[in-house]
Amino acid sequence: MSFSNLFRRKTVQDILKQVEKNEADGHHALGKHLTARDLTAFGIAAIIGAGIFSTIGKASADGGPGVIFLFIFTAIACSFAAFAYAEFASMVPVSGSAYTYSYVAFGEIIAWIIGWALIMEYAVGNITVAISWSDYFTGLLESGGMHIPQWMQMDYLTASNGFDEATALMQGGKSFENLSDNLKAAYTAWTTSPTLGSFHFVADLPALLIIIIITYLVYRGMKESRNASNLMVVVKLCVILLVIAVGIFYVDTDNWNPFAPNGVNGILKGVSAVFFAYIGFDAISTTAEECKNPQRDLPRGMMWAIVICTILYIAIALVLTGMVNYKDLNVGDPLAFVFNKLDLKWMSGIIAVSAVVAMASVLLVFQMGQPRIWMSMSRDGLLPKRFSKVHPRFKTPSYATIVTGFVVAVPALFLNLTIVTDLCSIGTLFAFVLVCAGVLVLQNRPDVPRGKFRIPYANSKYIFPLLLIVGLFFAFTINKKATMDFITNEKQINDASTIVTSLKETEAKEIMAHFQEEKLIKDQNADLEDVLSKFSEDETVYKNIVESLPIDNALKYETGFDLFKHKIPMWIFLFTLIGLAVWSWRQNLSLIPLLGLVCCLYMMAELSVWNWIYFTIWLIIGLIIYFSFSYKNSKLN
């Protein structure tokens, strides 16, 4: 095996010739039905979903009204990446998205890695959306008086983890009635589920149902998928505009003060959830072969989708945080919640129905994108040939679509929402980083034919190092304490919930006895988490209270490597910045794709180290498949 063969590249000319030969090889052409308007609608369908109906609540609770800056930052980062996607899509107007672009820019091994990451992105993204859809759908049925047992509407991991956490909190004195609704539901699902020995049958059946329906629709054809998507986009845009129009009359500007109560850290805390809302535009590029004029329409569709959705997100965030205090928004259905709180139940009903439609449209676009990645990799010989077969009547990658349905449906029954959201985000960000880097690699290669769209060029040679110097100045002046704590790995105190859920029953009783002895509480059956949480409202008081607790320091603080490991992604980002500064100085790199690469890499660094570990495991599995099958079966071999 030659090392250079791992980086063998496809040329743009070869890719375009291959598309022409597909018919002769037994691969029927995909149907061309899409215009710029359809692509914009697909983008809106994918972007306006879980973000606006669900995750915007948690992000607003963390960042306050200032969460709009997070939406703006994320939109700018995605716009930089969209420019890079648009240039590649104009240059290589075929299915495959970042996978195909990486094959041209970096070579086969990197193309395989990004293709494998995209498979995870779309599969995990669909699992996430299916779970969110199930939550809204079952909530809608509940409001209509139809009850589904908890064990049939919740995934296995959430029920298991929720049961353990609820048990620990109840040992700490919290009554079942005072548990959060999510923990009550998880505890009930676990304790009422059918069992076989020690195994509990807990599965999210509504999530399975919607995946089957959407997979069938995608299998039937692009025209049917397009029409369904356009209809769903119209419905949810009308509802969002109605929410803004009604909600604006209930805005109390006092709720916008303070605008950023938890500072920059609070705003950035929701970066994973907010970014997840924006990844839909990536799916647009997988439909390149089904566009009537991809070189013109793909760039337009991506840009219009991002601009429209950003304006809507900012408007909704301002209305929500103006209608109620930001602290109240940490709920799964924030739009319905605020109108319920203001006793506008008719609006809550409309929102619940539109949320079900919105989630289904996101699932449709994601489920449409993944089979086209599998098809492109199969055409190149990196996956078995069957994945590239196109249905002679429906003009869709039929076999790949069916396999995708299984790949998404089975994990959706059992997986936890938080895990899959972050995994989807890291896979997407990795793809964005490589697409931006691909544009930079190709910018000075004269042998690459250019499409109709080119990213406006601005030389980063002096601008990028200057931006780094400004960043360092900000870090060591305005944000000095946080910067020094990061560098010196200063120990961090655990929050109340982390401490209480880590305690054994005997330790919880010792703390209660300590509080009584110090006359901090009177009732021996007090809720330990509530007591500690009240103290945490004053940082100094909370620190003193925790230091006095009669438990091991390992339960009170996060220190040493346990703390440092969470900073590893950020250190990787910081060292990469130095390398990029040198590269930009030597090669006069284009500023826009360079900023896209930096923004997306920064958002990757904000994700937990566990996401990086899970993502690395996924890539290792992919490399095993590549070296055992794909390397020798590649058409470039």
Side-chain angles (χ1 to χ4, degrees):
M1 180 187 294
S2 170
F3 180 77
S4 61
N5 279 349
L6 296 177
F7 296 92
R8 52 199 174 196
R9 294 175 180 167
K10 295 175 70 174
T11 65
V12 175
Q13 294 91 334
D14 289 342
I15 292 173
L16 297 177
K17 284 178 184 175
Q18 183 183 325
V19 173
E20 293 174 7
K21 290 180 180 178
N22 283 337
E23 189 95 27
D25 291 342
H27 305 307
H28 298 278
L30 299 174
K32 292 183 179 293
H33 303 291
L34 304 179
T35 63
R37 185 182 64 183
D38 297 321
L39 293 168
T40 303
F42 274 137
I44 295 172
I47 296 172
I48 301 290
I52 216 157
F53 287 98
S54 180
T55 54
I56 195 173
K58 176 70 166 64
S60 298
D62 290 331
V67 75
I68 65 167
F69 296 120
L70 180 56
F71 283 114
I72 293 170
F73 168 71
T74 308
I76 291 171
C78 288
S79 296
F80 290 149
F83 270 114
Y85 266 93
E87 179 162 324
F88 264 124
S90 179
M91 187 192 312
V92 193
V94 296
S95 293
S97 183
Y99 158 75
T100 302
Y101 310 154
S102 295
Y103 221 143
V104 173
F106 301 110
E108 187 170 280
I109 186 69
I110 304 298
W112 168 266
I113 288 171
I114 198 63
W116 190 245
L118 285 170
I119 287 173
M120 184 192 77
E121 171 203 332
Y122 285 111
V124 171
N126 279 349
I127 293 166
T128 306
V129 177
I131 294 170
S132 296
W133 183 90
S134 172
D135 291 343
Y136 269 95
F137 181 68
T138 52
L140 187 61
L141 293 181
E142 291 279 351
S143 64
M146 190 181 298
H147 178 67
I148 298 177
Q150 286 291 348
W151 61 270
M152 292 175 65
Q153 56 174 288
M154 183 174 291
D155 63 273
Y156 184 91
L157 279 178
T158 297
S160 175
N161 295 340
F163 173 79
D164 292 340
E165 187 175 345
T167 303
L169 290 173
M170 286 192 285
Q171 286 175 353
K174 190 182 282 291
S175 65
F176 179 79
E177 290 71 23
N178 288 332
L179 291 172
S180 68
D181 290 341
N182 290 339
L183 284 182
K184 279 196 264 191
Y187 187 88
T188 303
W190 191 257
T191 52
T192 59
S193 62
T195 57
L196 181 63
S198 60
F199 180 79
H200 289 247
F201 287 94
V202 183
D204 197 339
L205 297 183
L208 175 65
L209 173 67
I210 189 60
I211 291 169
I212 292 172
I213 294 171
I214 293 295
T215 302
Y216 173 75
L217 186 61
V218 172
Y219 180 86
R220 282 300 301 264
M222 176 57 75
K223 192 181 289 185
E224 290 77 6
S225 301
R226 177 199 65 188
N227 294 340
S229 172
N230 289 349
L231 177 63
M232 289 188 277
V233 166
V234 169
V235 170
K236 63 183 175 183
L237 285 182
C238 289
V239 170
I240 288 166
L241 293 174
L242 178 64
V243 167
I244 295 169
V246 174
I248 202 166
F249 291 102
Y250 293 88
V251 168
D252 180 357
T253 53
D254 288 343
N255 286 327
W256 290 340
N257 186 25
F259 200 75
N262 299 316
V264 175
N265 290 336
I267 291 172
L268 290 175
K269 197 172 180 183
V271 67
S272 172
V274 169
F275 174 75
F276 178 75
Y278 273 95
I279 65 176
F281 84 84
D282 169 65
I284 300 174
S285 64
T286 66
T287 65
E289 272 181 64
E290 288 143 293
C291 298
K292 292 179 180 177
N293 189 345
Q295 293 184 313
R296 181 196 68 192
D297 293 341
L298 274 169
R300 291 182 182 181
M302 289 179 183
M303 295 304 172
W304 275 114
I306 290 174
V307 169
I308 291 169
C309 294
T310 301
I311 293 170
L312 292 175
Y313 272 127
I314 290 172
I316 285 286
L318 287 174
V319 168
L320 286 182
T321 54
M323 290 173 73
V324 299
N325 187 283
Y326 73 92
K327 293 177 182 177
D328 297 333
L329 288 171
N330 191 10
V331 292
D333 52 348
L335 268 65
F337 168 79
V338 293
F339 285 103
N340 255 335
K341 191 163 184 178
L342 295 171
D343 206 27
L344 296 172
K345 298 202 182 327
W346 62 275
M347 276 294 294
S348 297
I350 293 173
I351 289 166
V353 173
S354 66
V356 170
V357 173
M359 299 291 183
S361 71
V362 178
L363 192 60
L364 173 65
V365 178
F366 278 27
Q367 198 73 346
M368 192 174 61
Q370 189 181 355
R372 284 151 181 81
I373 302 292
W374 294 58
M375 179 186 73
S376 295
M377 296 176 75
S378 172
R379 283 175 173 177
D380 297 327
L382 304 186
L383 286 176
K385 196 173 182 180
R386 292 191 67 182
F387 284 98
S388 58
K389 290 291 184 182
V390 175
H391 197 284
R393 178 181 164 199
F394 300 135
K395 304 295 183 186
T396 57
S398 49
Y399 182 77
T401 301
I402 293 171
V403 172
T404 297
F406 279 103
V407 167
V408 175
V410 175
L413 293 171
F414 307 108
L415 281 186
N416 178 281
L417 185 61
T418 305
I419 292 174
V420 291
T421 301
D422 287 349
L423 268 178
C424 182
S425 293
I426 197 169
T428 309
L429 285 165
F430 183 65
F432 287 6
V433 165
L434 282 187
V435 170
C436 292
V439 170
L440 296 173
V441 167
L442 295 181
Q443 74 171 30
N444 294 321
R445 276 177 45 189
D447 59 322
V448 178
R450 302 293 169 181
K452 295 177 183 177
F453 179 84
R454 290 292 301 274
I455 297 173
Y457 178 78
N459 193 339
S460 64
K461 181 171 185 175
Y462 300 106
I463 299 174
F464 187 68
L466 180 62
L467 289 174
L468 292 187
I469 292 169
V470 171
L472 286 171
F473 177 79
F474 173 83
F476 285 99
T477 53
I478 299 172
N479 206 30
K480 184 177 180 180
K481 184 181 185 307
T483 302
M484 294 310 298
D485 286 350
F486 177 84
I487 294 172
T488 59
N489 205 39
E490 180 68 24
K491 68 180 181 183
Q492 289 185 0
I493 195 164
N494 286 325
D495 61 36
S497 179
T498 302
I499 292 174
V500 173
T501 53
S502 303
L503 296 174
K504 297 175 184 174
E505 192 171 356
T506 53
E507 291 170 330
K509 288 179 179 177
E510 284 178 19
I511 291 177
M512 294 302 289
H514 168 74
F515 280 162
Q516 283 184 305
E517 188 179 318
E518 296 291 324
K519 298 183 179 178
L520 296 171
I521 59 169
K522 295 179 181 177
D523 184 5
Q524 189 172 1
N525 296 317
D527 183 338
L528 186 54
E529 187 194 19
D530 273 358
V531 173
L532 273 176
S533 295
K534 285 174 184 173
F535 290 133
S536 66
E537 292 173 5
D538 185 318
E539 190 176 334
T540 305
V541 171
Y542 181 68
K543 183 180 179 183
N544 292 333
I545 291 289
V546 171
E547 283 180 350
S548 70
L549 295 178
I551 55 175
D552 192 86
N553 279 342
L555 297 172
K556 302 177 189 178
Y557 306 105
E558 195 169 28
T559 58
F561 184 74
D562 286 337
L563 178 60
F564 176 76
K565 68 186 178 187
H566 298 298
K567 299 176 181 178
I568 292 174
M570 188 56 70
W571 279 112
I572 292 173
F573 169 72
L574 294 174
F575 283 118
T576 304
L577 281 183
I578 298 171
L580 291 175
V582 174
W583 190 23
S584 66
W585 183 269
R586 289 182 174 179
Q587 298 292 326
N588 297 321
L589 298 180
S590 177
L591 183 64
I592 289 177
L594 180 62
L595 291 177
L597 192 160
V598 169
C599 290
C600 293
L601 192 61
Y602 171 75
M603 287 192 280
M604 281 183 74
E606 284 288 338
L607 298 174
S608 78
V609 68
W610 294 113
N611 289 301
W612 285 64
I613 292 171
Y614 297 145
F615 183 58
T616 302
I617 292 170
W618 174 259
L619 293 184
I620 290 171
I621 293 170
L623 288 174
I624 292 170
I625 295 172
Y626 174 77
F627 287 111
S628 59
F629 174 85
S630 306
Y631 178 82
K632 60 186 177 185
N633 287 285
S634 167
K635 289 191 176 179
L636 291 187
N637 188 16

